[in-house]
């Protein structure tokens, strides 16, 4: 049976994308690449930023779903006893 993996199966994680983005920024800022390569790296960086934003948007949506009550109202996540501020 042939392997039917696609490029989307091998997408970098959020953390890997951030590492790649940091490396791109370092290369461009250091001047170790020429203008054409800098532009190519900039474009690659923009794609990584879009990917990271998409991952963060999905995470935010999931957190919102997990914090909704039965009526669909958002509930503040538990942060401890919550009474310390009211007593002050």
């Amino acid at each position: 049976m042939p392997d039917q993996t696609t490029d989307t199966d091998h997408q970098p994680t959020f953390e890997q994308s951030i590492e790649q983005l940091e490396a791109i920024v370092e290369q461009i800022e250091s001047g170790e690449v020429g203008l054409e390569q800098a532009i190519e790296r900039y474009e690659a960086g923009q794609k990584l930023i879009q990917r990271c934003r998409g991952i963060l948007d999905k995470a935010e949506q999931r957190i919102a779903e997990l914090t909704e009550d039965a009526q669909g109202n958002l509930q503040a996540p538990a942060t401890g006893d919550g009474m310390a501020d009211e007593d002050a």
Side-chain angles (χ1 to χ4, degrees):
M1 185 172 226
D3 185 13
Q4 295 185 358
T5 58
T6 64
D7 287 340
T8 57
D9 294 335
H10 301 291
Q11 290 288 327
T13 64
F14 177 81
E15 292 79 9
Q16 290 169 333
S17 295
I18 293 294
E19 286 177 12
Q20 290 175 9
L21 186 57
E22 289 172 347
I24 288 170
V25 170
E26 184 178 318
Q27 290 170 351
I28 293 172
E29 286 182 346
S30 71
E32 66 184 73
V33 295
L35 179 60
E36 290 300 319
Q37 284 185 323
I39 292 169
E40 290 175 8
R41 301 255 163 80
Y42 182 84
E43 290 172 353
Q46 288 297 317
K47 290 178 184 177
L48 288 169
I49 289 170
Q50 289 175 351
R51 174 166 172 67
C52 289
R53 284 184 181 153
I55 292 170
L56 290 174
D57 288 345
K58 286 180 185 177
E60 185 178 86
Q61 180 181 5
R62 182 148 186 231
I63 289 168
E65 290 170 359
L66 293 172
T67 56
E68 287 180 0
D69 65 13
Q71 289 78 33
N73 299 315
L74 290 180
Q75 299 295 312
T79 57
D81 64 350
M83 301 303 284
D85 292 338
E86 294 178 18
D87 293 340

